[in-house]
């Protein structure tokens, strides 16, 4: 009985020793994925804010262009 318990503990220790690098790599990849998602969301938010902030400027440019077109006089 004591030998069986000892054998089981030895096998579990071996399994844990072999699994440790895999679990460490999994943890490292999980952290890297979290950072990548954060970066992607940040870039998307900045892009969206840039587009939203330029919308009034674009409308103003269109309005100015239309005004300029109306002020053109053709020489004969």
């Amino acid at each position: 009985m004591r030998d069986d318990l000892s054998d089981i503990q030895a096998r579990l220790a071996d399994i844990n020793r072999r699994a440790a690098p895999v679990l460490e790599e999994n943890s490292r990849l999980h952290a890297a994925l979290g950072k990548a998602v954060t970066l992607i969301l940040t870039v998307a938010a900045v892009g969206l804010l840039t587009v939203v902030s330029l919308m009034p400027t674009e409308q103003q440019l269109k309005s100015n262009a239309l005004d300029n077109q109306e002020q053109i006089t053709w020489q004969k």
Side-chain angles (χ1 to χ4, degrees), residues 4-48:
D4 289 340
L5 185 59
S6 206
D7 186 41
I8 291 171
Q9 287 177 336
R11 284 189 282 164
L12 284 175
D14 185 50
I15 290 169
N16 285 338
R17 183 180 46 78
R18 285 184 285 150
V22 174
L23 293 174
E24 183 178 327
E25 179 71 7
N26 187 13
S27 177
R28 189 182 67 78
L29 290 175
H30 183 73
L33 180 62
K35 289 177 183 177
V37 168
T38 301
L39 178 64
I40 289 168
L41 291 176
T42 301
V43 169
V46 168
L48 181 63

Side-chain angles (χ1 to χ4, degrees), residues 46-61:
V46 168
L48 181 63
L49 289 175
T50 301
V51 168
V52 168
S53 68
L54 292 177
M55 286 174 67
T57 304
E58 180 185 359
Q59 189 63 31
Q60 185 63 37
L61 288 173

